[in-house]
Amino acid sequence: MFIRAIKKFIKKHFYILLVRNKLAPSVQIGQVKLFHYYQDKKEQNKLPKFNETGFKIFSQFEEDGLLHYIFSIIGMGSKTFVDLGSNDCVNSNCANLVIHFGWKGLFVDGDKSMIEIGKKFYSKYPNPWNHPQQFLCSFITPENVNSLLEQKGMKGEIELLSIDIDGNDFWIWKAIEVIQPKVVVIESQVAFGDKNLVVPYIDGYNSDIKSNYYSGASTIALQKLAHDKGYRLIGSNHYGHNLFFMKNGIGENDFLEIEALQTLQHPFATSKFHELDKIKHLPFTSA
């Protein structure tokens, strides 16, 4: 009976227990100090290189640090985000900004169980009443993305858009019109290397995405789409598959555009280039 009660407690409070150290005041204090350090370095014209500022707290890779650096330099503005493909809303590119800097926004995922985890977590983490987060369980398509965002009050300028929906990211970003994010984080397909390639839109969930490289869009294609939408490529995570774009007219002196191939230098990326030979006979389009 006692063991069963312990198991029930762990299951109920799993995410709080899992991230307890990440919620510690020292984590927030350290980031606030780093925020002011970056601002001082900006005044001194001695900013570090973008790809040397990454660290992981809640994000899957080092996106937390890269985003912290970006918004330390350009300012946090309205502190508003949209996270499309948020998974459990905790292991998210936006969670650190929510928890340690008071951001508010919209988490969207097609898996109801993942959204429920997010709701439970943010109902328990300190001070959730200050800026209650919004949650939406829905499968995102180019046809419905704008109406879904508007229904949740998301329109006009926001600070951050994160897109990680396993394959159709290019088509979703292309379709978005109702919000104008200052920064966009989006997943690319590194296996496509230096080619301008996009896999045609896949209707429904792609269950083979983790083992099949026939999905997504190349860095070149995403950069071309970004140019069409008024954005420039400023960097990526170390592995090169999460790209960072900034809206033109914002932070242009501190965040210069880079070439797409600069994001594809890590051995993880280069080791995937040969995978294209296995799927090059399949239908592709370009940006």
Side-chain angles (χ1 to χ4, degrees):
M1 189 73 174
F2 177 73
I3 294 176
R4 184 182 301 173
I6 292 295
K7 288 182 177 179
K8 184 177 181 180
F9 175 85
I10 291 175
K11 182 178 181 180
K12 182 177 181 180
H13 300 281
F14 174 73
Y15 274 87
I16 296 295
L17 294 170
L18 186 66
V19 303
R20 182 174 56 186
N21 291 336
K22 300 178 182 182
L23 297 171
S26 59
V27 176
Q28 184 179 60
I29 291 169
Q31 290 189 78
V32 171
K33 288 181 178 179
L34 188 57
F35 177 94
H36 292 291
Y37 170 81
Y38 287 148
Q39 290 193 325
D40 289 342
K41 287 299 180 182
K42 179 180 179 179
E43 290 185 6
Q44 299 167 14
N45 199 27
K46 295 181 179 179
L47 286 173
K49 295 179 180 178
F50 176 78
N51 62 1
E52 295 175 348
T53 62
F55 57 77
K56 168 187 169 66
I57 299 178
F58 290 95
S59 58
Q60 187 175 9
F61 300 100
E62 75 274 16
E63 292 82 6
D64 282 338
L66 298 172
L67 288 169
H68 177 274
Y69 175 64
I70 288 171
F71 290 108
S72 294
I73 303 306
I74 69 171
M76 294 195 176
S78 64
K79 296 187 175 183
T80 307
F81 71 89
V82 169
D83 188 354
L84 301 180
S86 59
N87 196 259
D88 62 10
C89 315
V90 182
N91 296 294
S92 158
N93 290 334
C94 302
N96 184 60
L97 294 168
V98 171
I99 292 166
H100 292 300
F101 291 95
W103 284 44
K104 61 186 182 297
L106 173 63
F107 291 106
V108 184
D109 199 85
D111 187 331
K112 184 178 180 180
S113 65
M114 294 292 100
I115 290 294
E116 290 303 315
I117 288 172
K119 287 181 177 179
K120 181 176 292 186
F121 175 80
Y122 287 101
S123 72
K124 296 180 181 298
Y125 108 87
N127 299 327
W129 52 85
N130 288 347
H131 291 299
Q133 306 309 317
Q134 294 195 80
F135 302 89
L136 175 63
C137 180
S138 178
F139 189 84
I140 300 295
T141 69
E143 291 74 26
N144 71 11
V145 63
N146 287 297
S147 61
L148 290 175
L149 291 174
E150 283 191 303
Q151 288 169 22
K152 288 294 185 177
M154 291 295 172
K155 55 185 178 180
E157 185 176 83
I158 66 170
E159 306 307 310
L160 174 63
L161 169 63
S162 177
I163 308 178
D164 184 1
I165 54 175
D166 291 340
N168 285 326
D169 307 61
F170 176 95
W171 302 108
I172 297 302
W173 189 20
K174 183 176 182 180
I176 290 176
E177 297 177 344
V178 297
I179 57 173
Q180 292 82 48
K182 294 179 182 177
V183 176
V184 177
V185 183
I186 188 168
E187 188 173 24
S188 69
Q189 177 54 270
V190 297
F192 297 167
D194 62 354
K195 306 295 190 297
N196 178 8
L197 295 176
V198 184
V199 173
Y201 181 78
I202 297 174
D203 190 10
Y205 177 66
N206 182 4
S207 59
D208 296 328
I209 191 148
K210 300 302 181 184
S211 58
N212 185 350
Y213 290 94
Y214 183 64
S215 65
S218 67
T219 301
I220 294 288
L222 285 164
Q223 188 173 33
K224 287 182 177 294
L225 173 62
H227 289 167
D228 291 342
K229 295 179 76 72
Y231 290 78
R232 65 191 185 279
L233 176 65
I234 63 169
S236 72
N237 67 348
H238 287 318
Y239 296 119
H241 61 273
N242 279 341
L243 307 178
F244 290 73
F245 294 93
M246 186 174 289
K247 191 171 182 62
N248 294 336
I250 297 173
E252 291 187 337
N253 292 330
D254 301 311
F255 296 94
L256 303 178
E257 179 154 37
I258 65 170
E259 295 295 328
L261 291 183
Q262 290 179 245
T263 71
L264 297 171
Q265 303 301 312
H266 194 280
F268 171 83
T270 57
S271 70
K272 305 298 180 184
F273 291 170
H274 71 279
E275 298 290 345
L276 181 59
D277 289 335
K278 303 175 184 178
I279 57 174
K280 62 184 180 181
H281 63 283
L282 297 173
F284 284 94
T285 185
S286 59

